[in-house]
Amino acid sequence: MAKKKESDKDLETLRHSAAHILAHAVKELYPDAKNTIGPAVEEGFYYDFENLDITPADFKTIERKMKEICKKNYPFEKKEVSLAEIKKMFKNNKYKIELAEEFKKAGDKLTIYQDGDFADLCRGPHVESTGKVKAFKLIKIAGAYWRGDQKNKQLTRVYGIAFPSKEELKDYLHKIEEAAKRDHRKIGKELELFSFHDCAPGMPFWHPKGTIVWNELIKYWREEHHKAGYGEIKTPIILNKELWEQSGHWKHFKENMYFTKVDNQDYALKPMNCPGGIQVYKNRVRSYREFPLRWAELGLVHRHELSGVLAGLFRVRSFTQDDAHIYCVDDKQLKEEIKGVITLTDKIYKKFKFDYHVELSTKPEKAMGDAKLWEKAEKALADAMKELKKDYKLNPGDGAFYGPKLDFHLKDALGRTWQCGTLQLDFQLPINFDLKFMGADGTENHKPIMLHRTIYGSIERFIGVLIEHVAGKFPIWVSPVQVKILTVADRFNDYANTVAKKMFDAGIRVDVDDRAESIGKKVREAQLQQINYILVVGEKEVKDKTVTVRTRDNKVHGAEKIDAFIKKVVKEIQERA
Ligand SMILES: [Zn+2]
Ligand SMILES: [Zn+2]
């Protein structure tokens, strides 16, 4: 695990101290509640209580009490105590006694921390006094079992967040609110992009509009890969057991795979594209002159995830990887190929205005392949980054057992990061599949170096991230509906349809709204549908052969000649502006 920064530790201490204050307040307000544990967690803290029957409506009262405790500025006083003292102090709280007995057994000193008249069994550390906790908020309630064991009694878990300043708390709350507004599941429904159904849990169904988004991403991807010298392959999604045994998946990945039996033979749905792709490689003898080989594959893979972890497009059971496998003959080629992947990834992320950072993960303790090979491969990854003048974060020992890797983490408009792209060296599969090539020496005694890489990662997840990044406001080239023409009254419908036909013929995705609704309502609906250009037509527009242009940000841009408008929009689409 990465070492924690000093500021992270401070924040953790602050949040854990806030958990004490929460327990203090709860005990004053609900004397029969039994407090158990209250750690800091990522982005906040929680405290688990037995016998606490509250709802979020009670948060105000509890927060008010917490504020009182903060205002009193009680110091957190540490005191060493004996097990006997603990048993006396917490005679009504078996949880604390259980913990104390455990600490004692482990040879730890027993300490309590007291603020005002509230004392808690704890190892610390805490902030100096309750007054240091200046900005907090209770967030939610959940059920939790003591020690996570369902056989134990269910406790009430109260979650909160705390920050060193009110501004940071405000920023955080704003971000949460904004994230909820941008939730891709919500926007996906509103814009009719995709849905999920009980007949295939965790496997998205793409609607016509969502499929447009999908196809536009793929079209762009294909163009860029073609320019970068990739070939594209397609392989089956069902492959037999022998193949998965050879690849090692049958042994190491079985619990995440789907199976089927055909003619009494075992088959599996592919969880990864590599073993299928390798069959294309092995179809004939490869000569060193052919390398590097760059083969991309948009492969639909299935991985069984527990139903509890499924989350919209972010965590699914079937997804399409924008995979590619690259085979090289030597170190020089390897470095050039790595640079090529980094450059292509950079170009594609920039197209969507994503910032990103890269992490380099090196040899773990349990690794296959000799140390020299690893050293060379890690150096190739690091040198490629350096030569391209790119920074990266080093994660020592975090590589896969079969090779080192670079991971690309996207940063979205809310500052959240998403690991999407990856570039992995693989020393294992070329051995498992006995990959060879014919060298300049005329023998087949040569092993290629294999690279796996993705840029979008999973197309499904990337679309989810993109939706939240742009809050449903797709760039025009991606938008399912780019232009909508709204008529002021029925008698302008013919004109609207003629204009729409012209745009359609020019390759613009255009709709007409000729319903007998008020123009205000039609504009509002088109804005909510995140249409890039909303055109209003009435008397004046028909007479002047124009359209009045508005954008989804509620700006009115005025009248434009039809042909000039079409030309401008077509250019924007083609340039993927
Ligand atoms: Zn504590
Ligand atoms: Zn692969």
Side-chain angles (χ1 to χ4, degrees), residues 324-454:
H325 294 101
I326 301 174
Y327 304 90
C328 313
V329 294
D330 57 29
D331 298 348
K332 193 166 154 271
Q333 231 172 48
L334 174 66
K335 195 168 79 184
E336 284 312 305
E337 289 311 304
I338 294 169
K339 280 164 77 173
V341 171
I342 297 167
T343 306
L344 182 59
T345 307
D346 179 76
K347 187 174 186 189
I348 291 180
Y349 289 173
K350 283 197 176 137
K351 179 53 90 184
F352 296 97
K353 295 196 164 73
F354 278 119
D355 280 338
Y356 68 93
H357 78 271
V358 183
E359 298 186 6
L360 167 59
S361 298
T362 60
K363 188 165 177 276
E365 249 169 64
K366 269 194 191 157
M368 63 90 45
D370 75 289
K372 267 214 183 93
L373 199 60
W374 274 86
E375 226 169 84
K376 270 192 347 195
E378 287 167 7
K379 192 170 176 322
L381 291 169
D383 286 352
M385 288 295 285
K386 277 176 209 147
E387 283 174 31
L388 292 169
K389 298 196 167 46
K390 296 207 174 290
D391 290 333
Y392 61 87
K393 191 181 146 214
L394 193 64
N395 292 331
D398 243 8
F401 76 93
Y402 52 81
K405 62 174 180 170
L406 292 179
D407 285 325
F408 294 79
H409 298 258
L410 293 186
K411 192 170 168 190
D412 72 13
L414 294 184
R416 299 171 299 179
T417 56
W418 309 89
Q419 198 240 304
C420 288
T422 184
L423 165 56
Q424 262 177 304
L425 268 85
D426 191 339
F427 309 137
Q428 181 78 52
L429 281 186
I431 294 172
N432 289 1
F433 285 96
D434 193 23
L435 297 190
K436 290 184 243 185
F437 67 88
M438 173 95 71
D441 59 3
T443 75
E444 274 189 60
N445 263 336
H446 305 273
K447 218 160 238 342
I449 310 167
M450 185 179 184
L451 284 174
H452 312 255
R453 52 113 279 195
T454 61

Side-chain angles (χ1 to χ4, degrees), residues 7-26:
S7 58
D8 289 347
K9 270 197 237 157
D10 288 348
L11 198 55
E12 213 178 288
T13 303
L14 178 83
R15 286 169 174 173
H16 170 65
S17 305
H20 273 255
I21 295 166
L22 166 62
H24 187 165
V26 166

Side-chain angles (χ1 to χ4, degrees), residues 16 20 113 120-126:
H16 170 65
H20 273 255
Y113 279 83
D120 205 350
L121 172 71
C122 189
R123 283 185 268 215
H126 305 89

Side-chain angles (χ1 to χ4, degrees), residues 188-189 191-197 204-215 480:
K189 203 172 188 176
L191 302 189
E192 286 191 89
L193 303 176
F194 58 85
S195 58
F196 286 91
H197 300 275
F205 289 66
W206 290 92
H207 295 215
K209 284 179 180 163
T211 306
I212 289 173
V213 172
W214 179 288
N215 287 341

Side-chain angles (χ1 to χ4, degrees), residues 48-180:
D48 286 349
F49 301 91
E50 192 200 302
N51 200 25
L52 179 64
D53 187 15
I54 55 165
T55 69
D58 300 308
F59 284 172
K60 258 211 172 90
T61 315
I62 302 172
E63 283 169 353
R64 208 176 297 130
K65 184 57 88 182
M66 288 173 75
K67 270 181 202 145
E68 268 173 37
I69 295 164
C70 294
K71 219 168 181 179
K72 297 250 169 74
N73 201 17
Y74 298 121
F76 279 102
E77 283 171 310
K78 182 179 174 179
K79 206 169 124 196
E80 252 181 63
V81 286
S82 69
L83 185 59
E85 280 172 287
I86 292 284
K87 283 185 173 165
K88 209 171 131 202
M89 274 178 81
F90 295 99
K91 61 177 184 295
N92 291 322
N93 190 329
K94 62 175 183 184
Y95 303 99
K96 293 290 175 190
I97 295 172
E98 188 181 319
L99 288 171
E101 280 170 341
E102 224 165 81
F103 295 160
K104 179 92 188 172
K105 222 176 183 177
D108 294 345
K109 280 186 181 142
L110 298 179
T111 51
I112 59 160
Y113 279 83
Q114 180 130 14
D115 68 281
D117 54 5
F118 175 76
D120 205 350
L121 172 71
C122 189
R123 283 185 268 215
H126 305 89
V127 292
E128 211 174 283
S129 61
T130 57
K132 298 276 179 217
V133 180
K134 293 199 186 320
F136 59 84
K137 189 167 173 55
L138 300 181
I139 295 292
K140 64 174 178 185
I141 299 173
Y145 295 99
W146 171 240
R147 296 184 182 272
D149 188 342
Q150 288 189 29
K151 281 190 262 110
N152 292 330
K153 198 164 179 184
Q154 200 175 35
L155 308 171
T156 303
R157 177 169 295 179
V158 182
Y159 283 96
I161 47 161
F163 287 92
S165 70
K166 292 215 163 62
E167 290 71 43
E168 281 162 278
L169 176 65
K170 220 174 116 196
D171 280 355
Y172 175 84
L173 293 173
H174 173 72
K175 232 163 132 179
I176 295 278
E177 207 180 294
E178 196 50 37

